[in-house]
């Protein structure tokens, strides 16, 4: 919950320096409309920074932010139009103000949104999320920023799946990004989703299934180098319990790492 607005929430934070952080999210304004929210910290205090909302938007959220410097941040999210259709949203911070940068939707989709973003350079950002077509199939969404425009990337999906979404992304360079999330493959146990962007195309990575689980998902990922990632999330059991999940990428394969759960816990999740 936002410390400044009593009805606001902050979903993501990026700190390029100890005395420079930007957090983004949303809040309910005086008209009862969900609007975008951004707050900045100088290391000693937080203050709200005005963010624009798309004209006519009835619901706006910023879910992810990535800052290369105190005056160079990019945020990603989505908004709903007056018909209830969802559209990707991207905004850029130059140290003085936020400005919307048009993020295209997906042809044939009536609901798309961005949930996370990672920028390795001023002209290299990757934002990820999900898009749903008119038939109701949900697919992962990825868009790249080249310093001038956003463009939609083609993302493969696991064979036989009808639901896939990206929930987090981490880029160690413009040609080394990993996006993670969840997939519905109709098999048990369902593994979490992980895909790799090499600057040209996406490749699905085989993730490790958790013994005794009926399904797992990744909610966060961090990749300090092209050959090293840690992804976290949750793994569910057939009796309804959920356990914390962590897997490590060593440049060749994903493997499960043991994670402790609090004593007597029946629901544990690592989100980032």
């Amino acid at each position: 919950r936002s410390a400044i607005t009593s009805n606001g929430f902050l979903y993501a934070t990026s700190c390029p320096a100890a005395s420079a952080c930007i957090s983004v999210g949303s809040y309910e304004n005086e008209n009862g409309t969900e609007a975008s929210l951004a707050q900045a910290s100088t290391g000693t205090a937080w203050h709200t920074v005005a963010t624009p909302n798309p004209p006519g938007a009835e619901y706006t959220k910023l879910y992810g932010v990535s800052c290369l410097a105190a005056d160079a941040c990019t945020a990603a999210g989505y908004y709903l139009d007056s018909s209830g259709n969802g559209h990707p949203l991207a905004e850029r911070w130059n140290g003085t103000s936020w400005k919307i940068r048009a993020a295209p939707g997906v042809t044939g989709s009536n609901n798309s949104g961005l949930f996370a973003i990672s920028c390795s350079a001023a002209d290299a950002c990757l934002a990820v999320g999900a898009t749903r077509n008119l038939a109701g199939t949900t697919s992962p969404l990825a868009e790249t920023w080249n310093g001038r425009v956003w463009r939609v990337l083609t993302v493969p999906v696991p064979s036989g799946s009808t639901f896939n979404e990206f929930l987090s992304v981490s880029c160690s360079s413009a040609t080394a990004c990993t996006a993670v999330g969840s997939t519905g493959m109709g098999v048990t146990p369902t593994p979490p989703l992980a895909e790799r962007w090499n600057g040209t195309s996406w490749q699905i990575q085989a993730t490790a299934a958790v013994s005794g689980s009926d399904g797992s998902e990744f909610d966060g990922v961090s990749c300090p180098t092209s050959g090293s990632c840690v992804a976290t999330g949750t793994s569910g059991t057939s009796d309804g319990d959920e356990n914390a999940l962590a897997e490590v990428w060593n440049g060749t394969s994903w493997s499960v790492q043991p994670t402790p759960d609090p004593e007597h816990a029946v629901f544990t999740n690592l989100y980032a």
Side-chain angles (χ1 to χ4, degrees), residues 8-242:
F9 288 85
L10 298 172
Y11 299 107
T13 300
S14 183
C15 301
S19 59
C21 292
I22 291 283
S23 295
V24 299
S26 64
Y27 75 103
E28 185 179 323
N29 63 23
E30 65 275 9
N31 298 319
T33 300
E34 194 83 6
S36 59
L37 172 65
Q39 294 183 359
S41 171
T42 59
T44 58
W46 288 87
H47 63 278
T48 300
V49 181
T51 52
N53 295 286
E58 295 193 349
Y59 184 98
T60 308
K61 282 182 182 285
L62 294 173
Y63 268 117
V65 64
S66 182
C67 299
L68 297 169
D71 59 355
C73 299
T74 305
Y78 70 91
Y79 70 95
L80 301 182
D81 62 26
S82 58
S83 299
N85 297 319
H87 305 272
L89 174 65
E91 302 192 12
R92 297 273 292 180
W93 168 253
N94 62 7
T96 303
S97 62
W98 287 94
K99 183 177 182 180
I100 294 175
R101 297 292 189 182
V106 178
T107 302
S109 169
N110 62 353
N111 199 351
S112 300
L114 299 170
F115 304 144
I117 185 170
S118 181
C119 300
S120 56
D123 59 353
C125 293
L126 187 66
V128 300
T131 183
R132 187 179 64 206
N133 63 23
L134 300 179
T137 299
T138 298
S139 303
L141 171 64
E143 302 197 15
T144 185
W145 167 259
N146 63 5
R148 300 180 305 278
V149 296
W150 286 95
R151 67 181 179 93
V152 177
L153 301 175
T154 300
V155 183
V157 298
S159 177
S161 63
T162 58
F163 178 92
N164 297 274
E165 63 178 352
F166 285 148
L167 299 173
S168 186
V169 63
S170 181
C171 300
S172 58
S173 72
T175 59
C177 298
T178 297
V180 300
S182 63
T183 182
M185 297 177 60
V187 298
T188 302
T190 302
L193 177 65
E195 300 197 26
R196 185 80 165 177
W197 169 252
N198 62 11
T200 303
S201 62
W202 288 93
Q203 293 85 36
I204 298 172
Q205 295 180 320
T207 55
V210 179
S211 177
S213 168
D214 63 355
S216 304
E217 72 172 40
F218 287 144
D219 298 299
V221 65
S222 180
C223 303
T225 69
S226 60
S228 176
C229 296
V230 175
T232 58
T234 186
S235 177
T237 63
S238 58
D239 56 8
D241 293 345
E242 291 196 11

